[in-house]
Amino acid sequence: MLQGQAAIVTGAAQGLGYAISKAYAADGMRVALLDIRGDLLDELAAEIRQAGGDPLPITVDLSDAGETQRAVDAALAHFGAPRVLVHNAALLITRSMREITLADWQMEINIILQAAFILSKAVWQPMIDAGGGSIVYLSSGSGYRGFIEEVAYNPGKHGIEGLMKCLALEGKEFNIAVNCATPGAPINTPMSAQNYTEALKQRWVDPALLTPAFLFLARQDAAGLTGHRVAARSDGSWDAINLL
Ligand SMILES: NC(=O)c1ccc[n+]([C@@H]2O[C@H](COP(=O)([O-])OP(=O)(O)OC[C@H]3O[C@@H](n4cnc5c(N)ncnc54)[C@H](O)[C@@H]3O)[C@@H](O)[C@H]2O)c1
C-alpha cells in the first residue's frame, strides 16, 4: 500500500528521522527529506537513489516560519499529497530557567510546535482532497511528564500532544489520522549522545529497530488508529494509548 506514495519526514538527516526515511524509501515510498543539515541530506538522498528510490532533499531551518512554509510547498509541488507527514525534528537545549533566553525558547518552540502547525496546515487540504492521510508527531516522555532544565522542550512536547488531540478529532470527518509517537527504547542518536546518562548509553539501540511502528502509522487513516500515543519498541512492536 505504501509503494509509490509520498512521505514528508522532518529531521531526516540524522537519528530517528534518518531511520524512518530509509525505512519508508525501502518500502517504495517517495520521501521528501527535510532538515537543516543539507550536507547530510545529500548523502542520505544519494543512498536512497542508489537503492532505486526517488527522494527529494530539502534544506530548511524549521525554526523559521517562512522557510518551513516554502519547504512544505516544494514537497507538495513535487510529490502531491503525502500519505504521511512525520514531524520528527526537534532541538533540546538543556538550560535552567535562570539561564535560558527568549531566543532559546523561541527556537525550540518554533521547531517543535510552530513547524508542526505550519506543516500540518499545509498538508491538511491536500490530504482531504486525496481522501485521507496520516500525520505523526514525535513526542517524548517530556510530552506528558516534567523534566528539569527542559524549559522549552517540555512545553513544546506537551503542546504537540495537544495539537495531535485536536486535529485527530477534526481529522475524523476527513479520514486523516493524527497520532504521536515516542521511542519506546533508548536510541543511539546525536540527541541521545548529548543528553543520555552513561547507563542509558550502555543499552541504547539502533533507531532502525523502531521503524516498523512508523510503517504502521504511515498506513493509518481515521478508520484505523488515530488520537493515540504510540511507543515504538526495539523488537518491532509497539504500544498505543488512546488520548482522546
Ligand atoms: N533520542 C531520544 O532518546 C528521544 C527520546 C524521546 C523523544 N525523542 C524525539 O524523537 C525525535 C528524534 O530524536 P533524535 O534523537 O533522532 O534527534 P536528533 O537531534 O539526533 O536529530 C534531530 C534532527 O533534527 C534536525 N534539526 C534540528 N534542528 C532543526 C531545524 N531548525 N530545522 C530543521 N531540522 C532541524 C537535526 O539536524 C537532526 O537531523 C525528536 O523529536 C525527539 O524529541 C527522542
Side-chain angles (χ1 to χ4, degrees):
M1 176 200 171
L2 297 180
Q3 177 74 35
Q5 301 217 54
I8 298 175
V9 181
T10 70
Q14 304 174 85
L16 183 59
Y18 171 91
I20 295 167
S21 302
K22 292 264 287 195
Y24 283 171
D27 241 43
M29 297 194 87
R30 307 164 77 209
V31 189
L33 310 162
L34 276 58
D35 205 286
I36 199 166
R37 291 291 306 273
D39 52 335
L40 298 176
L41 277 189
D42 288 342
E43 288 175 24
L44 171 58
E47 281 176 45
I48 292 174
R49 278 193 204 103
Q50 205 160 24
D54 179 23
L56 179 70
I58 303 176
T59 305
V60 55
D61 179 354
L62 292 166
S63 71
D64 182 284
E67 280 196 36
T68 304
Q69 187 67 55
R70 281 190 289 280
V72 69
D73 287 348
L76 289 168
H78 193 78
F79 287 139
R83 164 99 282 280
V84 64
L85 161 70
V86 181
H87 180 41
N88 159 84
L91 181 68
L92 170 54
I93 301 173
T94 47
R95 279 197 193 140
S96 69
M97 191 58 173
R98 292 169 78 187
E99 294 164 338
I100 192 167
T101 64
L102 178 61
D104 294 333
W105 162 273
Q106 286 171 332
M107 167 104 70
E108 286 185 80
I109 293 289
N110 287 355
I111 296 169
I112 295 170
L113 195 50
Q114 175 178 274
F117 167 76
I118 294 169
L119 296 164
S120 303
K121 179 143 179 84
V123 303
W124 197 251
Q125 190 62 47
M127 281 185 174
I128 293 172
D129 295 343
S134 173
I135 295 177
V136 183
Y137 304 137
L138 262 294
S139 185
S140 162
S142 304
Y144 52 93
R145 293 174 54 204
F147 289 90
I148 199 158
E149 296 193 339
E150 292 189 4
V151 179
Y153 184 86
N154 223 156
K157 292 294 183 181
H158 274 65
I160 220 166
E161 294 218 347
L163 181 62
M164 181 279 282
K165 291 173 206 167
C166 173
L167 295 186
L169 291 170
E170 187 171 335
K172 283 188 177 174
E173 186 185 343
F174 305 114
N175 203 26
I176 300 173
V178 190
N179 292 286
C180 281
T182 63
I187 46 173
N188 182 350
T189 70
M191 181 185 282
S192 308
Q194 278 202 333
N195 297 295
Y196 277 12
T197 61
E198 285 310 313
L200 265 183
K201 288 181 185 172
Q202 295 292 320
R203 55 188 186 88
W204 65 10
V205 300
D206 184 336
L209 296 175
L210 276 53
T211 55
F214 291 89
L215 290 164
F216 165 77
L217 285 166
R219 293 191 297 268
Q220 299 310 301
D221 53 33
L225 192 84
T226 191
H228 284 64
R229 186 193 304 120
V230 173
R233 295 206 208 92
S234 55
D235 63 1
S237 66
W238 54 87
D239 290 317
I241 302 170
N242 188 348
L243 298 182
L244 296 183

